[in-house]
Amino acid sequence: MHQNKDRLNISVLYVEDEIIFRETISPLLEPRIRELIMAKDGEEGFEAYKVHRPDIVISDISMPRMNGLRMLKKIKKINPQAICIITTSYSDTNYFLDAIDLGVNRFILKPFDIQELINTLKTLSNSIIYKQQLEAEEKRRLQTEEALRESEERFRLMFLEMPGAIVLAHPENGKIIEANNAALKLFGYSKEEFLTFTQKDITEDHYELIDAFNAKAKQKTDGSSIVGEFKVKLASGKSIPVEIKQRSIHYHGSEIFIGFITDISSRKQQEEMRQRYQEALEKLVQIRTEELQKSNEDLKTNIISLHKAQKQIENRSLSEHLLSEISSNLVNIPHYELDNYIRSSLQKLGEFKNARSTFVRIQNKSQTIRQIFRWHSKDCPDATLSDEELIEKQAELWKAISRSKHIIVEPENQAEAENNNAPALTQGLYYQLLYNNEFYGFIGIEHRRQQTRLSEQDTFLPGMLGEVILNAFFRKHDLLRTLEKEETAHALINANTEIMLLIDKNAKVLDLNDKAIEKLKINKGSSLYTSNTKFITVKRLRSALNVFANGEKIQFTDTFKGQYYEHTFYPVLGINSIIDRIAIHSRDITQKVKGEQEIQRQNQFLNSLLESIPSPVFIKNMEGYFIGCNQELVRLTGKPKDQIISKTPYDLSPKEMADFYTLKDKELYKSKGIQNYVSKFIGKNGIIRDIAFYKSLFYDGEGNPDGIIGVMIDITKVKKDEKQLRELNENLENRVKEELSKTENQRQLLIQKSKLESLGELSAGMAHEINQPLGGISMGLENILYKLNDNRLDRDYLRSKIDYLFENISRIKQIISHIRTFSRDQQHISKEKVSISEVIKNALMLIEVQFKSNQVNLIIKHPEEDCFFLGNKYRTEQVLLNLLSNARDAVNQKAVLDSCEPGYQKTIIIRYFSTSEQCIIEVSDNGTGIKPENIGRIFEPFYTTKSDGSGTGLGLSINYGIVQDMGGEIKVESKNGLSTLMRVIFPKFVE
């Protein structure tokens, strides 16, 4: 059922003997009040009151058995504060006088308007609610004071008995305010001795360090602590290291330092041991890392050099192999197959060099010999040209190459080639061909695209091959006449830069090249059987005999005078296709073999180096496979080396760990630097270890990343020690936060207690302020009754009087409402725009009467315009009331002194004004003043100069905290025995 939101939260007992009134009133009242109790006479009404204890009793006067006044007398004996309304149709004043004596609250004449009754109930309901609220607030106040006393006692006991040392100090001068038993025990002083010290008295550190530490604590506005380590002096003369966690707190309205002191002597010893161990470990790791890096750099340099040498050797070897293959075949090819084989050789050359086309152009001066051998890829535009067209196209090239040994034409030096009358052709290499020191043409290679920059080394193969082809061409040309001539054979074998011999079945040297003469010290016509050279050993002669016997080419490798040689023995056919000669090709491969041996030696050195490192080391290739490790890694993993090599992290670790390792490897390849990080690693027997990884890349001969080398350092014990230390610190911090929270609650309770004490002092002023409108109400009611008795009460007069009564009631409500709001806890109310004039007005409303009764001359000085700041007006009002209370006590105290001058006038001045940036309130008095030695302590909690024991020492301490919370400051100026001025400053509010 829908509940009427205007229903009054009261219970009403309605006593009426006439049933018509009960039946009429009941349905009208029930929807408008919480509970309605009906009774038909005084006796029934009295019994109902004892059972239900209603908030309001409405009763007729004249009733059978027991009239309304008798019933009300009995009710008043039970509850003198019972609220009663009399309804009657009698006009006899005796009834009214008796009712007034009983304390009846309202009179309503029958017949009455129901709305009049409802309005009366509303008015009385407000007074009931207000009374209940006052009683509840009084009860809460008593409970709060009791809880505050108990909390203060518990806090002091807990502070004193805390196991850790705690010291409270003044933030300005470092004066020690309080210390618990643990702190006194730690330092060895009595409490009286200890409280005479400052922070600087008990430390051995420079004063500048302590000042900087305190300044840093003041700057912390988020409630967090700062931590510092100091050396403190004990009463025994001994010095010990301590850790101090300090923060600035509001304690009873003051800003003080609370410091938690911990003896860290044993921890310092452990840290020093750990530091020495860490430094030794880091030094060892640094030495090992530097050794490893140096070895790695040396190895990389050697590998690069070896790769370059090996690549050159491989290229040279491939070129020589191709040249040897083509040359050997050209020597033995029948003359009728020579042209096709030349073209086949050009194709091999083109494919080997990844060329677009290759050609050999042979032409003598008389042009009796004029021929082109060429090979083209499918995409070459010159493939469709005839030989004559190609010769015509190469006219300029012919002129240029006839003057130069070779020409290299590239896109970058095209203009230079044109200045030298070179042909404007695509990228290519053209080598001059000489026969008997005469120009007979050139061999050319034209590339599809620029793979690598052409150099002098690229001329070796085409130059040699061109000369071989040229010699083969002239051999074919003069075959029948010059086949047996030495010059032709000599030209052929001398084209090779390696050792070449031509011998017959009797081991007679038929021909040899310059390299053979230089190396073997023999000449043409010598017999290898009788020669002094040891180059032709028994094994080599036996190989030659085998070639003569079976006609098959033989290749093998051996040594001569510490040099390594690769030999090729192949048969040479005569005119009748009879094997009567053998060509011997011997190639010095010493550098190649030594390079391979050096690589093997470097690998052995690397393995020895890895095994000498006391930490686990691994090597991985680009694909993430382990290609090397030392025994320390074997011991860490508990796996033999063959179960690590050729494996990946996914074979040795869970997937999530392996994913992380792989991700870090990718980051290292991307950054190309040195990487270090800490991660988990599953070691022997499945034990999880904390490992610090230090990794770097190594590179191949061309400077490209070739893999990763990494060092692992087990830091499991270090991490465990760090965790234990961190847990100890966290537990201590939690206890500190808990104690600080309790301290803050204590501070708020003290602030509220101060408000309640202030309200107690203001009770006299409140009574006066409330009694004045109450007197007006009483007189107005008497006037109404007087006119009512004389039948001169008209409606306009009654309305004007009622308006006057409600104005006084509203004034009382305003005073009470302000007191209720002022007494609430205002700490969580947000800041708002505050008017200083309004704060002063509200404060004076509560205390002005007291000051007048104490003959205090109160003077207000204010500017023409009001001052505004951001804050809380009720807390500012509390500050002002505390200052005025102190000023009143000071002038009262001076007035009773024997030394007080005659005619002394107690005076307190309130002055407020503003500057461009500040709002300022000043409260000055001509009282007793403050002694200079006490000025520095007046804002300390519980400090008071009042000798009569009336002060708690909390007022100015609470003021200090409230003003600071609102971003302001409070200052004092005083002359002992003459005056005191308190100045409160707030940042000015600007629209």
Side-chain angles (χ1 to χ4, degrees):
M1 186 177 72
H2 179 69
Q3 186 175 359
N4 185 357
K5 64 179 181 179
D6 296 329
R7 173 177 287 185
L8 301 176
N9 188 25
I10 58 174
S11 59
V12 175
L13 171 61
Y14 182 53
V15 185
E16 175 61 61
D17 62 326
E18 295 184 24
I19 189 171
I20 186 171
F21 279 100
R22 293 200 305 272
E23 291 177 351
T24 302
I25 292 301
S26 176
L28 296 175
L29 282 182
E30 281 182 343
R32 291 178 169 83
I33 61 175
R34 172 169 49 82
E35 183 181 10
L36 177 63
I37 305 138
M38 305 292 288
K40 62 187 178 190
D41 55 39
E43 289 185 358
E44 186 176 319
F46 178 69
E47 295 300 323
Y49 184 87
K50 290 193 297 183
V51 174
H52 299 282
R53 289 299 179 102
D55 298 315
I56 299 174
V57 177
I58 303 174
S59 177
D60 188 19
I61 292 181
S62 177
M63 290 184 296
R65 299 176 61 187
M66 181 186 294
N67 65 23
L69 293 180
R70 289 180 56 200
M71 178 192 71
L72 291 178
K73 286 181 180 180
K74 297 182 70 174
I75 290 175
K76 286 288 186 175
K77 290 181 179 179
I78 299 174
N79 181 14
Q81 303 300 323
I83 297 176
C84 306
I85 299 174
I86 292 296
T87 65
T88 181
S89 55
Y90 291 92
S91 59
D92 191 347
T93 56
N94 292 328
Y95 284 108
F96 290 101
L97 294 176
D98 292 341
I100 291 172
D101 290 339
L102 284 176
V104 173
N105 299 84
R106 293 289 189 276
F107 298 92
I108 300 177
L109 296 177
K110 292 181 180 180
F112 53 81
D113 184 1
I114 187 62
Q115 188 59 44
E116 181 184 3
L117 178 60
I118 295 300
N119 291 338
T120 302
L121 291 176
K122 284 183 179 179
T123 302
L124 295 177
S125 173
N126 290 335
S127 65
I128 292 170
I129 294 172
Y130 172 66
K131 179 182 178 182
Q132 291 173 347
Q133 290 176 342
L134 286 179
E135 292 175 352
E137 287 181 0
E138 178 64 16
K139 183 177 181 182
R140 285 196 299 270
R141 185 183 68 81
L142 294 175
Q143 291 174 346
T144 300
E145 290 182 348
E146 181 62 26
L148 181 61
R149 285 193 294 272
E150 293 178 359
S151 179
E152 287 178 349
E153 184 62 30
R154 286 197 302 271
F155 171 74
R156 181 168 294 278
L157 180 62
M158 181 175 58
F159 172 79
L160 293 175
E161 300 302 325
M162 277 286 288
I166 306 175
V167 173
L168 303 181
H170 196 281
E172 299 300 331
N173 53 25
K175 182 73 171 62
I176 295 176
I177 301 171
E178 186 59 275
N180 67 350
N181 295 333
L184 299 176
K185 182 178 180 181
L186 174 65
F187 284 90
Y189 291 105
S190 67
K191 190 166 186 178
E192 291 74 15
E193 292 175 316
F194 201 64
L195 294 185
T196 62
F197 296 147
T198 66
Q199 291 174 315
K200 296 177 181 178
D201 295 332
I202 60 173
T203 60
E204 290 189 345
D205 296 279
H206 293 296
Y207 291 170
E208 293 81 0
L209 294 177
I210 300 172
D211 292 338
F213 185 70
N214 289 340
K216 189 175 180 182
K218 289 181 180 180
Q219 295 171 359
K220 284 284 186 178
T221 60
D222 57 356
S224 60
S225 302
I226 64 168
V227 182
E229 293 184 3
F230 299 90
K231 279 248 182 173
V232 298
K233 297 177 289 189
L234 307 183
S236 62
K238 180 181 177 183
S239 296
I240 63 170
V242 297
E243 178 185 80
I244 301 178
K245 287 191 175 182
Q246 180 169 290
R247 62 165 289 192
S248 177
I249 64 170
H250 293 295
Y251 184 72
H252 297 308
S254 282
E255 188 81 11
I256 65 171
F257 285 153
I258 180 169
F260 297 85
I261 304 176
T262 305
D263 184 355
I264 58 171
S265 301
S266 60
R267 193 184 83 187
K268 276 293 186 182
Q269 293 175 355
Q270 292 177 357
E271 287 179 354
E272 290 174 0
M273 292 177 62
R274 187 183 298 112
Q275 181 67 23
R276 288 196 296 270
Y277 171 77
Q278 184 70 21
E279 290 175 354
L281 180 60
E282 290 177 354
K283 186 175 181 180
L284 179 60
V285 170
Q286 182 180 1
I287 293 173
R288 297 302 186 191
T289 303
E290 290 174 354
E291 292 176 351
L292 182 60
Q293 289 176 343
K294 185 177 183 306
S295 300
N296 190 26
E297 291 296 328
D298 295 342
L299 180 59
K300 287 192 290 186
T301 303
N302 292 334
I303 290 174
I304 292 172
S305 301
L306 290 172
H307 280 189
K308 289 181 179 179
Q310 187 174 8
K311 190 172 182 179
Q312 292 176 357
I313 292 171
E314 288 175 355
N315 291 336
R316 188 68 174 263
S317 176
L318 292 173
S319 300
E320 291 173 353
H321 180 74
L322 178 62
L323 178 63
S324 176
E325 177 185 353
I326 295 174
S327 299
S328 61
N329 290 335
L330 282 173
V331 171
N332 297 309
I333 197 75
H335 64 88
Y336 51 84
E337 295 180 358
L338 181 62
D339 290 356
N340 290 333
Y341 191 78
I342 290 176
R343 294 184 179 89
S344 175
S345 299
L346 290 174
Q347 180 177 355
K348 292 179 180 178
L349 174 63
E351 292 173 349
F352 179 76
K353 289 294 187 178
N354 194 22
R356 187 174 68 176
S357 66
T358 58
F359 57 85
V360 174
R361 179 178 171 183
I362 303 173
Q363 182 178 331
N364 60 5
K365 292 181 180 180
S366 61
Q367 296 192 12
T368 57
I369 301 174
R370 187 176 182 181
Q371 188 168 354
I372 290 182
F373 300 93
R374 54 177 172 157
W375 168 84
H376 296 281
S377 64
K378 294 179 181 180
D379 61 346
C380 180
D382 293 344
T384 59
L385 297 178
S386 64
D387 289 350
E388 292 300 321
E389 290 173 336
L390 185 60
I391 289 173
E392 183 178 354
K393 182 179 179 181
Q394 294 177 348
E396 293 298 322
L397 178 61
W398 178 270
K399 293 178 183 179
I401 198 63
S402 65
R403 298 190 297 268
S404 178
K405 185 176 180 180
H406 63 265
I407 295 177
I408 298 174
V409 180
E410 296 183 356
E412 292 80 2
N413 61 7
Q414 185 72 38
E416 182 181 350
E418 291 176 357
N419 293 335
N420 294 329
N421 296 321
L425 298 174
T426 184
Q427 179 189 10
L429 184 146
Y430 308 92
Y431 196 93
Q432 185 187 75
L433 297 181
L434 300 177
Y435 187 69
N436 292 333
N437 293 324
E438 292 185 6
F439 176 70
Y440 271 88
F442 60 90
I443 182 170
I445 301 176
E446 296 179 349
H447 288 276
R448 291 189 178 94
R449 58 188 180 277
Q450 186 178 5
Q451 296 285 349
T452 56
R453 191 171 186 85
L454 296 173
S455 65
E456 295 289 333
Q457 296 178 353
D458 296 308
T459 64
F460 168 76
L461 180 58
M464 294 299 296
L465 183 59
E467 292 184 15
V468 170
I469 291 175
L470 183 65
N471 279 282
F473 174 81
F474 281 107
R475 182 176 64 83
K476 170 193 170 185
H477 187 266
D478 301 325
L479 180 63
L480 296 177
R481 293 182 295 108
T482 61
L483 183 62
E484 300 295 333
K485 290 183 179 180
E486 293 180 358
E487 291 81 7
T488 303
H490 181 75
L492 179 63
I493 63 174
N494 208 38
N496 200 307
T497 58
E498 303 294 344
I499 297 174
M500 291 197 72
L501 298 172
L502 187 65
I503 65 173
D504 62 12
K505 290 184 178 181
N506 298 318
K508 180 181 178 180
V509 179
L510 300 177
D511 204 352
L512 75 169
N513 64 356
D514 295 340
K515 194 72 173 180
I517 295 173
E518 177 189 350
K519 288 288 186 182
L520 306 181
K521 309 300 182 185
I522 60 176
N523 296 309
K524 187 187 300 184
S526 301
S527 172
L528 297 181
Y529 291 122
T530 60
S531 176
N532 291 330
T533 182
K534 302 298 183 182
F535 185 77
I536 303 301
T537 61
V538 175
K539 177 181 178 182
R540 295 171 181 172
L541 287 175
R542 189 181 301 118
S543 299
L545 294 176
N546 288 336
V547 173
F548 279 116
N550 54 38
E552 294 181 356
K553 180 174 67 173
I554 295 178
Q555 285 184 309
F556 61 93
T557 301
D558 60 13
T559 59
F560 175 68
K561 292 184 178 181
Q563 302 291 102
Y564 292 87
Y565 289 89
E566 181 183 75
H567 304 286
T568 303
F569 287 23
Y570 46 90
V572 179
L573 296 178
I575 297 176
N576 298 321
S577 299
I578 297 173
I579 301 173
D580 56 1
R581 290 164 295 167
I582 291 179
I584 300 175
H585 179 217
S586 298
R587 185 164 65 95
D588 189 344
I589 60 171
T590 303
Q591 292 300 321
K592 177 182 177 183
V593 172
K594 288 185 177 180
E596 293 173 350
Q597 291 175 345
E598 179 63 18
I599 291 175
Q600 185 178 4
R601 187 188 70 79
Q602 291 288 350
N603 287 336
Q604 292 175 351
F605 170 76
L606 178 60
N607 289 332
S608 300
L609 180 63
L610 292 178
E611 294 302 335
S612 67
I613 295 176
S615 299
V617 181
F618 62 84
I619 304 175
K620 290 195 290 188
N621 61 16
M622 293 283 290
E623 287 74 31
Y625 289 91
F626 291 98
I627 59 175
C629 69
N630 62 357
Q631 284 300 122
E632 291 297 326
L633 185 61
V634 171
R635 280 191 281 271
L636 178 64
T637 60
K639 298 179 183 294
K641 188 174 288 188
D642 58 0
Q643 291 185 17
I644 299 176
I645 304 301
S646 301
K647 303 294 184 183
T648 70
Y650 290 94
D651 300 317
L652 305 178
S653 305
K655 183 178 182 304
E656 56 273 14
M657 286 188 180
D659 286 341
F660 177 74
Y661 301 150
T662 304
L663 175 63
K664 300 303 286 186
D665 288 348
K666 290 179 180 177
E667 292 176 357
L668 179 57
Y669 281 120
K670 186 175 181 180
S671 65
K672 295 183 180 179
I674 295 177
Q675 184 184 72
N676 59 80
Y677 59 89
V678 176
S679 178
K680 299 294 183 182
F681 184 83
I682 298 181
K684 187 177 181 181
N685 299 326
I687 298 174
I688 297 179
R689 317 289 298 178
D690 289 299
I691 300 295
F693 288 84
Y694 297 85
K695 301 191 302 186
S696 66
L697 301 180
F698 63 88
Y699 300 83
D700 60 15
E702 297 181 354
N704 298 317
D706 205 21
I708 293 175
I709 183 167
V711 180
M712 304 166 64
I713 299 177
D714 191 343
I715 59 171
T716 305
K717 187 176 184 306
V718 175
K719 296 285 283 186
K720 183 179 179 182
D721 293 342
E722 290 177 352
K723 181 180 178 183
Q724 291 176 350
L725 183 60
R726 187 167 56 254
E727 288 176 351
L728 288 173
N729 289 336
E730 288 176 355
N731 291 336
L732 182 58
E733 288 178 359
N734 290 335
R735 289 171 59 191
V736 170
K737 290 179 181 178
E738 182 178 345
E739 294 304 321
L740 291 176
S741 176
K742 292 179 179 178
T743 301
E744 181 62 20
N745 291 337
Q746 296 288 339
R747 188 177 78 91
Q748 294 302 328
L749 286 173
L750 288 174
I751 292 174
Q752 192 64 12
K753 179 182 178 182
S754 176
K755 283 187 180 182
L756 295 176
E757 290 174 349
S758 299
L759 289 175
E761 293 182 1
L762 301 175
S763 58
M766 288 171 54
H768 177 83
E769 293 294 332
I770 293 174
N771 279 332
Q772 185 175 354
L774 281 177
I777 293 172
S778 177
M779 291 178 63
L781 290 175
E782 288 178 359
N783 290 335
I784 291 172
L785 291 175
Y786 177 77
K787 285 186 176 291
L788 183 64
N789 292 333
D790 292 345
N791 292 323
R792 291 187 294 110
L793 185 64
D794 60 78
R795 190 175 187 86
D796 293 337
Y797 175 81
L798 182 60
R799 181 176 297 278
S800 65
K801 281 297 181 182
I802 290 175
D803 291 340
Y804 170 76
L805 296 178
F806 274 111
E807 286 178 3
N808 283 277
I809 292 172
S810 176
R811 183 181 177 190
I812 295 172
K813 287 176 63 179
Q814 181 182 2
I815 295 171
I816 294 173
S817 176
H818 181 74
I819 293 299
R820 289 170 59 196
T821 306
F822 172 77
S823 63
R824 289 197 189 103
D825 184 2
Q826 303 288 332
Q827 62 171 316
H828 299 300
I829 294 180
S830 60
K831 291 183 179 180
E832 60 182 356
K833 181 180 177 182
V834 178
S835 163
I836 293 182
S837 63
E838 182 182 355
V839 169
I840 295 175
K841 175 184 175 183
N842 291 336
L844 293 180
M845 179 178 68
L846 301 177
I847 65 167
E848 194 169 13
V849 174
Q850 295 182 54
F851 277 57
K852 288 181 179 179
S853 65
N854 279 270
Q855 289 82 44
V856 176
N857 184 21
L858 187 61
I859 301 172
I860 312 298
K861 295 183 178 181
H862 56 80
E864 294 182 358
E865 295 184 358
D866 200 356
C867 303
F868 298 93
F869 66 94
L870 283 179
N872 182 286
K873 61 183 179 181
Y874 300 106
R875 302 188 77 184
T876 309
E877 188 177 331
Q878 182 182 357
V879 171
L880 185 58
L881 288 173
N882 283 337
L883 296 180
L884 290 171
S885 176
N886 287 344
R888 179 202 61 201
D889 293 343
V891 296
N892 286 338
Q893 185 178 354
K894 184 174 181 179
V896 299
L897 293 176
D898 295 336
S899 59
C900 182
E901 64 273 13
Y904 169 69
Q905 174 63 51
K906 296 182 283 186
T907 304
I908 296 176
I909 301 173
I910 302 175
R911 176 174 176 257
Y912 69 93
F913 58 94
S914 65
T915 65
S916 59
E917 297 180 353
Q918 296 175 332
C919 290
I920 303 171
I921 306 172
E922 293 182 347
V923 176
S924 60
D925 66 76
N926 61 346
T928 56
I930 305 172
K931 294 180 180 179
E933 62 268 22
N934 295 333
I935 288 181
R937 300 189 61 191
I938 62 173
F939 295 113
E940 294 180 7
F942 304 111
Y943 179 80
T944 179
T945 59
K946 297 176 182 178
S947 58
D948 58 357
S950 60
T952 62
L954 290 175
L956 287 178
S957 174
I958 291 173
N959 278 7
Y960 189 87
I962 292 174
V963 172
Q964 274 205 334
D965 287 344
M966 290 191 288
E969 57 179 329
I970 183 169
K971 298 181 178 180
V972 59
E973 297 177 5
S974 182
K975 296 179 181 179
N976 186 29
L978 295 176
S979 64
T980 299
L981 183 143
M982 304 297 295
R983 181 179 294 110
V984 182
I985 305 170
F986 294 108
K988 187 176 182 180
F989 174 79
V990 180
E991 294 288 352

